[in-house]
Amino acid sequence: MQRSPIKHCRECGAAVTYRLPDDGDTKPRAVCSACATVHYENPLTVVGTVPVWGDSGELVLLCKRNIEPRRGKWTLPAGFMELGETTAEGAARETDEEAGAQIVMGELFTLMNVARVGQVHLYYRARLLSDQFKPGFETIEARLFAEADVPWEEIAFRTVRETLEHYFADRRRGQFDFHVSDIA
């Protein structure tokens, strides 16, 4: 995984060195040369929803990205979780920010580990309260799609594609499961 190394201590600003901490840790960490603060680098959490419309959830809301990466590609409403919010609160916030969509939150649906970029993606099923949307600045367009109309070749991220594939497969079976996967 490519990540910019930590160079300075967040506590005192002194230079850090990568070494095994003195507390018995088994991984090299950024340790401050002045105050001995150990800086841990943890994955980022991406949270989002699979917002659906219709009595049987036949239509899924997708957003066309207005930002990089993958500007102009379609995605589910999602983004990075913020401090001070739960995963469900973050997913609801992202759905509102990106699509201007009001939802009733459902169950956690997919959890995908994307270790190569240091991320964990969580998607919740959600029921739309309206078919009217007010996309935010990160979204060019927000639109409902039936499975046959999803622009599969224009999906922005593999996690979104796999979440959609699970959603439509579970919908056809008439039973929704919780799906966990590792994205290489």
Side-chain angles (χ1 to χ4, degrees), residues 81-121:
M81 182 177 167
E82 299 284 347
L83 292 174
E85 66 186 6
T86 67
T87 56
E89 289 168 343
R93 175 187 49 77
E94 287 290 343
T95 302
D96 181 46
E97 286 178 5
E98 293 190 5
Q102 300 308 303
I103 59 169
V104 173
M105 188 66 70
E107 300 84 26
L108 184 58
F109 183 59
T110 59
L111 181 154
M112 289 167 277
N113 298 295
V114 193
R116 67 181 165 75
V117 294
Q119 296 178 359
V120 176
H121 292 219

